[in-house]
């Protein structure tokens, strides 16, 4: 089913907005002094990313991003920030945020440029339009089947990893006896 | 109209921002959040490749990265709490017992 | 046909055994703080060379019984070095030449051992002395009996070692120890040439299709392979060794200083045996010298130069032993004139060389007798004057020491070439042959002239020494009062050697003097099988007429008499208290032409400077600096790199980013598209 020009245009606009949200959110995150607004801004960035995933025919991942990443992980982060009751006095004293971030960005620019150069070398003739994927690409059934057959070992290992993390956190948080 | 390069460009920019955050900020939490930004930039790359190459493997990777990020966040935050309790400071530069 | 004899090995063995026994006894008793029993030591010490002498006589007669063409006895003791093409065995060769040498060495050696028992009787190092002296006998006999150049070289080095040990015998006197050093080092310089000669011959034979062997018989058999140029190189390199061992200019400097050793040592080593090893080697390798057109002339020229050089120095010396030392150098020059001309004659007229080599060896033989006699006599004088060696403190000893006076008189007449003593016959033969050589190349008359003048000088300085020592009024009354004749054990060898000096000359009477009844050329005939290089061909050497012969002899005797007369007029009649000549040239002669000083400045000082430079500039500043500062450099480098370890996570993260950048750069540059 050929997408209509309207659909194509909509795609581009959506992409633009979502990309902007993601990048802007990230920028705001790294430029806050207090961690709480930074975390909240990061949640916004994640939502933008989830949208991008959806655009890329990865519906399951989009939902997982919001549920797990934005929902669970960031919730945990915010919880810890509030637990520690981070006040202004706790923040590092001599941090001149704007200057250091600008400096870092300047230092990292070469890396970005290398990325872009590599990007330039990649073949650019495939668009979303002319690389059709099956309708059920990235859905939960297909992804699940793929995960449990080809990547079973990885899946089980990650399960073990989570268990280990759980045990580790308990040990770390426990009071000294 | 939207090619792979568009998405990868976004991924690159996000990655750069994340790295800049790790290098420049002294607040422990902000550093942690910057690391999350990096991980997500990479996730976006994976999903992009999965879509444009028609293979689900990229999405599997992303799936696993999210899981690992969760584990890492748990343990990392536990450590941050312990560090804060120990030194009463959130400044990355104060934790330099590794010197010498 | 090859003849072997198991007895040959005994000749060097006896002195080796006695040396070892005496040496062990010395060490054993030294541990107990005393010296070994003198009676036992002296008996062993004299028995060693005496036994060798007796065996030598037996073998001599065995050799005489063989037909002339096969007159050689060999004995292979054991195989020594067998490595690829290099095959050397320890084997001995007894042919007429070595037989003559061993009789001389063991005979005179025994007499000198006997004399030493008396001379060294009051010395603390009595047994050590005899251990060294017997070891020397062993080395010298190995040198003479060795059937190949390497084995001869073993003996060569051995005599050099023993010379060092014996010259520096009283080593607590640093000057005497240095004299030993000087002898050894000067010898070593010569030995370097000897080694190079051996290497050259070996590799030449290896590369030119011959059997690479340094055995004398093998080399002689392959003489035809040697080109004149190769033969010249080999001969002259070996001659450098001979120059060192036989004290030819400029390697003569050690012999005068060698007088620091006990006098019997000077008699044995530096008169009769070790210094003649060089002449012996040239005679042995005569065939090599003969192939080369110029080597023989080089040898003869250096011999002539040395002869007159040393003679001029001798006329100004005031130490009795130094006069004799320089006269030895001078006479060695004569011997080299002899063997050098032998090689030359062989080169121009096949078959003519053997007789002339024999002439040189004859002078070795006669010189051994009268020079040993003179040295032992001087030892007797020195002993009587309580270790005084300055002839300007002697005088009038004739009445006090008649036997010494008579025997030394015979020796002095012999060296001056007065007939019918031995010196006359041998020197006369050399002079005649030098004259004959002039017939072939006019400049060779120069060698004759030099030899003749030297002969006159020899007579002069020897009689100067004789008159100042024995005649006139005593210059030091105290010494004169205490002088006495030496005991029999010392005078017996003097008398025996004097008798030898009188008789031995007649072993080689030239034809013109045979007067119809004396046997002629016994010595040369005996040596011919060893020294013969080629058969007599059609041509014959030019020979002057009988009249010319007599004129030459008369001239030689005349010039000797003139020399004696001068000495008499200056030193005997007037009895001067000190040296009458005061001119500058006399000073130069007394200072030995400053050769030692020149060597010090030209050779030794630069070497010392180079050593200093190597020690300071290269070793200290260079190598030590590098060794000491490399760790410092590393430490500095470490300190510089250590800056990276800040302990801050952020800086580590930054380094990670840099690494990542590098990897990306690499991939960018290598992207296929």
């Amino acid at each position: 089913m050929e997408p209509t020009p309207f659909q194509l245009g909509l795609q581009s606009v959506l992409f633009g907005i979502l990309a902007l949200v993601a990048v802007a959110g990230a920028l705001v995150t790294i430029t806050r002094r207090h961690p709480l607004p930074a975390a909240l801004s990061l949640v916004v960035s994640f939502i933008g990313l989830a949208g991008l995933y959806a655009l890329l025919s990865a519906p399951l991942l989009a939902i997982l991003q919001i549920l797990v990443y934005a929902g669970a992980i960031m919730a945990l982060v915010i919880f810890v920030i509030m637990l520690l009751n981070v006040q202004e006095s706790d923040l590092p004293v001599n941090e001149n945020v704007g200057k250091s971030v600008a400096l870092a960005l300047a230092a990292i620019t070469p890396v970005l440029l290398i990325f872009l150069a590599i990007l330039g070398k990649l073949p650019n003739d495939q668009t979303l339009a002319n690389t059709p994927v099956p309708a059920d690409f990235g859905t939960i059934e297909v992804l699940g089947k793929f995960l449990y057959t080809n990547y079973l070992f990885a899946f089980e290992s990650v399960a073990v990893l989570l268990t280990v993390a759980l045990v580790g956190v308990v040990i770390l948080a426990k009071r000294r006896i | 109209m939207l090619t792979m390069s568009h998405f990868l460009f976004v991924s690159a920019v996000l990655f750069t921002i994340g790295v800049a955050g790790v290098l420049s900020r002294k607040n422990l939490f902000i550093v942690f959040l910057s690391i999350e930004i990096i991980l997500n930039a990479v996730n976006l790359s994976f999903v992009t490749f999965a879509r444009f190459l028609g293979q689900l493997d990229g999405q599997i990777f992303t799936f696993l990265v999210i899981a690992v990020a969760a584990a890492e966040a748990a343990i990392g935050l536990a450590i941050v709490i312990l560090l804060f309790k120990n030194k009463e400071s959130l400044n990355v530069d104060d934790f330099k017992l590794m010197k010498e | 046909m090859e003849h072997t004899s198991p007895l040959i090995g005994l000749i060097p063995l006896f002195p080796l055994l006695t040396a070892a026994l005496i040496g062990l006894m010395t060490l054993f008793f030294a541990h107990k703080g005393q010296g070994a029993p003198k009676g036992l030591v002296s008996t062993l010490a004299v028995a060693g060379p005496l036994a060798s002498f007796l065996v030598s006589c037996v073998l001599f007669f065995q050799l005489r019984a063989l037909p002339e063409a096969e007159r050689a006895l060999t004995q292979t003791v054991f195989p020594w070095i067998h490595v690829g093409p290099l095959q050397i065995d320890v084997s001995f060769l007894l042919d007429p030449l070595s037989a003559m040498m061993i009789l001389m060495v063991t005979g005179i050696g025994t007499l000198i051992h006997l004399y030493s028992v008396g001379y060294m009787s009051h010395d603390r190092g009595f047994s050590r002395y005899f251990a060294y002296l017997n070891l020397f006998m062993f080395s010298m006999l190995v040198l003479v009996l060795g059937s190949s150049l390497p084995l001869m070289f073993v003996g060569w080095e051995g005599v050099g070692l023993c010379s060092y040990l014996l010259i520096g015998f009283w080593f607590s006197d640093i000057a005497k120890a240095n004299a030993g050093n000087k002898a050894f080092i000067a010898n070593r310089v010569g030995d370097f040439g000897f080694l190079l000669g051996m290497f050259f011959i070996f590799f030449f034979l290896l590369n030119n299709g011959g059997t690479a062997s340094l055995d004398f018989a093998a080399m002689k058999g392959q003489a035809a392979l040697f080109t004149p140029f190769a033969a010249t190189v080999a001969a002259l390199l070996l001659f450098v060794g001979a120059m060192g061992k036989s004290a030819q200019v400029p390697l003569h400097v050690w012999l005068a200083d060698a007088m620091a050793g006990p006098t019997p040592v000077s008699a044995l080593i530096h008169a009769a045996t070790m210094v003649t090893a060089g002449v012996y080697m040239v005679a042995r390798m005569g065939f090599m010298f003969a192939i080369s057109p110029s080597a023989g002339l080089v040898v003869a020229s250096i011999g002539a130069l040395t002869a007159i050089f040393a003679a001029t120095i001798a006329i100004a010396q005031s130490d009795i032993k130094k006069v004799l030392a320089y006269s030895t150098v001078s006479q060695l020059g004569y011997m080299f004139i002899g063997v050098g001309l032998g090689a030359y004659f062989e080169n121009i007229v096949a078959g003519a060389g053997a007789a002339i080599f024999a002439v040189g060896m004859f002078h070795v033989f006669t010189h051994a007798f009268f020079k040993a006699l003179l040295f032992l006599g001087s030892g007797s004088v020195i002993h009587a004057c309580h270790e005084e060696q300055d002839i300007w403190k002697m005088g009038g000893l004739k009445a006090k020491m008649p036997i010494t006076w008579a025997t030394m008189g015979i020796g002095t007449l012999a060296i001056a070439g007065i007939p019918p003593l031995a010196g006359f016959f041998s020197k006369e033969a050399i002079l005649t042959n030098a004259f004959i050589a002039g017939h072939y190349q006019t400049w060779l008359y120069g060698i004759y002239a030099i030899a003749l003048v030297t002969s006159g000088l020899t007579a002069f300085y020897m009689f100067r020494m004789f008159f100042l020592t024995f005649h006139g009024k005593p210059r030091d009354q105290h010494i004169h009062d205490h002088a006495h004749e030496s005991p029999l054990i010392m005078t017996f060898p003097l008398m025996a050697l004097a008798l030898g000096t009188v008789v031995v000359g007649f072993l080689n009477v030239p034809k013109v003097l045979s007067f119809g009844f004396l046997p002629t050329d016994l010595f040369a005939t005996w040596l011919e099988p060893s020294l013969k290089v080629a058969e007599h061909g059609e041509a014959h050497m030019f020979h002057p007429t009988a009249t010319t012969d007599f004129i030459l002899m008369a001239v030689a005797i005349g010039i000797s008499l003139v020399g004696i007369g001068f000495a008499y007029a200056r030193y005997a009649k007037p009895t001067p208290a000190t040296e009458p000549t005061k001119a500058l040239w006399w000073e130069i002669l007394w200072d030995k032409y400053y050769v030692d000083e020149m060597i010090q400045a030209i050779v030794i000082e630069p070497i010392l400077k180079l050593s200093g430079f190597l020690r300071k500039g290269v070793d200290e500043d260079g190598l030590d600096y590098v060794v000491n500062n490399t760790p410092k450099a590393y430490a500095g480098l470490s300190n510089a790199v250590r800056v990276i370890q800040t302990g801050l996570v952020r800086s580590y993260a930054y380094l990670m980013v840099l690494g990542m950048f590098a990897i990306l750069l690499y991939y960018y540059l290598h992207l296929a598209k």
Side-chain angles (χ1 to χ4, degrees), chain B residues 15 19 23-26 92-93 95-96 98-100, chain C residues 642 645-650 652-655 657 660:
Chain B
F15 185 88
V19 172
L23 290 183
S24 60
R25 298 302 304 267
K26 290 193 200 168
V92 165
D93 291 338
F95 304 105
K96 53 178 189 242
M98 270 209 293
K99 184 177 165 82
E100 296 293 328
Chain C
R642 197 197 291 177
Q645 269 198 310
T646 54
L648 294 175
V649 181
R650 282 198 303 145
Y652 295 154
Y654 188 61
L655 290 172
V657 172
M660 180 179 69

Side-chain angles (χ1 to χ4, degrees), chain C residues 229-567:
Chain C
F229 178 72
T232 311
V233 171
L236 288 180
L237 283 173
L238 290 173
F239 181 61
V240 170
M243 281 167 71
K245 193 63 78 184
S246 300
Q248 298 296 291
V249 168
L251 292 172
H252 67 286
V253 291
W254 63 271
L255 192 54
D257 285 27
M259 299 300 113
T263 311
V265 167
S266 308
L268 180 62
I269 299 184
H270 308 127
T273 47
M274 181 176 109
V275 291
T276 58
V279 189
Y280 168 74
M281 188 270 290
V282 173
R284 256 287 169 240
M285 298 293 293
F287 60 91
M288 189 70 73
F289 284 83
I291 300 174
S292 154
S294 47
L297 292 178
V298 171
V299 171
S301 308
I302 292 183
L305 175 67
T306 306
I308 195 163
F309 182 80
T312 51
I313 296 179
I315 65 178
Q317 296 303 310
S318 56
D319 180 331
I320 193 173
K321 286 179 70 176
K322 287 237 164 47
V323 176
L324 293 174
Y326 281 107
S327 96
T328 306
V329 176
S330 182
Q331 297 303 310
L332 286 168
Y334 270 101
M335 296 175 212
F336 280 112
I337 294 177
V339 290
L341 287 177
Y344 173 66
F345 283 10
E346 183 67 38
N347 189 270
I348 53 179
V349 176
I356 323 302
F357 284 130
V359 160
M361 291 308 293
F362 187 53
H363 198 55
V364 169
F365 194 68
T366 58
H367 175 265
F369 279 90
F370 57 72
K371 193 43 75 60
L373 169 61
L374 284 167
F375 265 112
L376 292 184
S378 74
S380 177
V381 168
I382 291 171
H383 228 36
C385 297
H386 286 280
E387 316 308 326
E388 179 57 62
Q389 294 182 215
D390 188 343
I391 55 181
W392 291 106
K393 293 210 168 70
M394 302 177 192
L397 287 172
K398 166 180 167 190
K400 288 277 190 148
M401 315 175 63
I403 303 181
T404 309
W405 170 83
T407 49
M408 276 200 81
I410 292 177
T412 316
L413 282 170
I415 200 173
I418 305 296
L421 298 171
F424 164 73
F425 288 103
S426 54
K427 242 199 226 188
E428 183 51 45
I430 294 180
L431 284 170
T432 308
N433 282 296
F435 186 80
I436 293 175
H439 176 88
Y440 288 93
Q441 291 195 43
T442 319
W443 69 271
L444 289 174
Y445 279 122
I447 293 191
Y448 169 73
I450 290 177
L452 192 63
V453 168
T454 309
S455 191
L457 288 173
T458 308
F460 173 72
Y461 67 70
M462 286 306 297
F463 271 95
R464 167 179 177 265
M465 178 202 84
F466 186 72
F467 289 139
L468 283 175
T469 309
F470 290 103
H471 289 245
K473 291 199 260 309
R475 286 174 199 85
D476 186 325
Q477 198 58 42
H478 178 81
I479 288 180
H480 185 81
D481 286 340
H482 286 272
H484 57 89
E485 185 59 84
S486 301
L488 180 65
I489 199 167
M490 285 166 67
T491 53
F492 171 72
L494 290 177
M495 293 189 280
L497 287 170
L499 182 66
T501 312
V502 171
V503 167
V504 152
F506 292 98
L507 283 177
N508 207 41
V509 180
K511 287 190 186 57
V512 291
L513 288 180
S514 67
F515 302 122
F517 67 95
L518 289 169
T520 61
D521 296 325
L522 287 170
F523 196 81
T525 317
W526 168 253
L527 286 182
E528 180 164 357
S530 306
L531 300 173
K532 186 167 66 177
V533 179
E535 294 298 333
H536 280 275
E538 290 294 317
H540 282 273
M541 282 302 296
F542 159 79
H543 202 90
T545 61
T547 325
T548 323
D549 267 342
F550 277 114
I551 296 178
L552 290 173
M553 270 185 243
V555 167
I557 298 174
I559 214 168
S560 299
L561 289 172
V562 165
I564 298 176
F566 255 112

Side-chain angles (χ1 to χ4, degrees), chain C residues 38 61 74 100 146 264 285 351 380 449 451 467 502 535 558 586 619 631 637:
Chain C
K38 289 208 176 113
F61 285 111
T74 60
M100 161 223 145
M285 298 293 293
S380 177
F467 289 139
V502 171
E535 294 298 333
W586 195 267
D619 202 33
L637 194 65

Side-chain angles (χ1 to χ4, degrees), chain C residues 629-644:
Chain C
N629 285 325
T630 305
K632 287 202 194 124
Y634 276 116
L637 194 65
S638 298
N639 273 334
V641 175
R642 197 197 291 177
V643 170
I644 291 183

